[in-house]
Amino acid sequence: AQTVTQSQPEMSVQEAETVTLSCTYDTSESDYYLFWYKQPPSRQMILVIRQEAYKQQNATENRFSVNFQKAAKSFSLKISDSQLGDAAMYFCAYRSAETSGSRLTFGEGTQLTVNP
Amino acid sequence: DSGVTQTPKHLITATGQRVTLRCSPRSGDLSVYWYQQSLDQGLQFLIQYYNGEERAKGNILERFSAQQFPDLHSELNLSSLELGDSALYFCASSSGQGKEGSPLHFGNGTRLTVT
């Protein structure tokens, strides 16, 4: 079974600065997808970014980018020019591309605080 | 707005009771997923349906059951409720079964409190 680990329960960043959230995963599969979701205090789950494992190019969405290291099974999220609205719990997630009916497996989450 | 609708938003009930949580997926999505988020356990996958058929099962208790109807809405039934069942229950939907990597779009959740 696949597992996702987020080793930083909490992180903080100053407004306008850059922060990187870590995520590692364990899998024996070669084809899969990785995601970052954001959960603000409203508790809504919001998709931040998606990465396809067979693509070497790192995904980018505006101020959000990832550093995908397939061999190291690492998938970190970089938030540039942090804003107060970025404060949330961030979840890393894995989804198999080799199994039909594949679930999204989540890490434990990293609580990000943005200081003004 | 994700397009996924969950009702009710909040539910307060007593131990031993039974409740039903309802979910309407985004228009065009055939897969529905149920997740449980407790304070100390993160997001736990319960079950997935695709076009009316069960596709994957996670850590779903025998007291819990779910189904997806022909109109693609889904219901999660929780019975013989215990205090430990108090949690936020999310429904999510996606267009495919999973191998294509389509992201899950989440509803706003149902907050269940068992007293």
Side-chain angles (χ1 to χ4, degrees):
Chain A
Q2 297 82 23
T3 58
V4 179
T5 302
Q6 294 178 249
S7 59
Q8 307 154 316
E10 298 177 351
M11 291 282 285
S12 64
V13 63
Q14 291 296 127
E15 197 175 2
E17 297 296 310
T18 296
V19 64
T20 298
L21 308 184
S22 301
C23 172
T24 58
Y25 56 95
D26 186 24
T27 184
S28 58
E29 299 176 334
S30 58
D31 198 9
Y32 49 86
Y33 302 89
L34 298 165
F35 303 84
W36 279 96
Y37 279 83
K38 164 185 175 180
Q39 187 177 40
S42 66
R43 305 306 298 269
Q44 188 180 5
M45 292 290 290
I46 302 167
L47 175 67
V48 175
I49 203 163
R50 171 182 178 270
Q51 175 76 43
E52 300 172 13
Y54 59 86
K55 285 190 177 178
Q56 292 189 344
Q57 185 174 6
N58 289 323
T60 299
E61 287 287 342
N62 301 314
R63 298 182 296 105
F64 297 87
S65 61
V66 298
N67 183 4
F68 173 50
Q69 302 289 328
K70 192 171 185 180
K73 296 180 183 175
S74 170
F75 182 60
S76 60
L77 175 70
K78 185 172 85 171
I79 306 174
S80 304
D81 186 26
S82 297
Q83 300 175 0
L84 295 177
D86 295 333
M89 180 73 88
Y90 285 81
F91 291 96
C92 176
Y94 172 102
R95 189 172 200 186
S96 170
E98 300 180 7
T99 308
S100 63
S102 70
R103 68 199 65 183
L104 206 56
T105 300
F106 287 91
E108 307 91 336
T110 296
Q111 182 68 52
L112 178 66
T113 300
V114 181
N115 300 309
Chain B
D1 183 9
S2 68
V4 179
T5 303
Q6 285 189 251
T7 56
K9 283 187 177 179
H10 302 279
L11 205 46
I12 301 175
T13 189
T15 55
Q17 295 298 305
R18 172 189 169 96
V19 297
T20 297
L21 282 53
R22 184 188 168 101
C23 169
S24 294
R26 285 192 328 161
S27 177
D29 284 357
L30 298 178
S31 275
V32 169
Y33 307 77
W34 287 98
Y35 281 82
Q36 179 192 57
Q37 186 178 32
S38 304
L39 274 176
D40 58 350
Q41 289 194 357
L43 281 146
Q44 300 293 320
F45 170 72
L46 296 178
I47 198 163
Q48 177 202 2
Y49 282 85
Y50 176 79
N51 204 20
E53 294 188 7
E54 183 183 306
R55 274 290 179 264
K57 215 167 187 176
N59 301 319
I60 187 167
L61 300 173
E62 285 191 11
R63 301 183 286 109
F64 296 0
S65 64
Q67 55 184 327
Q68 186 180 28
F69 294 87
D71 67 353
L72 301 178
H73 91 272
S74 177
E75 292 181 357
L76 179 67
N77 300 296
L78 315 177
S79 61
S80 302
L81 285 167
E82 302 175 358
L83 295 177
D85 297 328
S86 295
L88 187 57
Y89 290 84
F90 281 108
C91 171
S93 73
S94 70
S95 55
Q97 296 189 58
K99 293 173 70 173
E100 74 296 329
S102 54
L104 271 61
H105 298 273
F106 285 79
N108 289 335
T110 292
R111 166 73 67 188
L112 173 66
T113 302
V114 182
T115 62

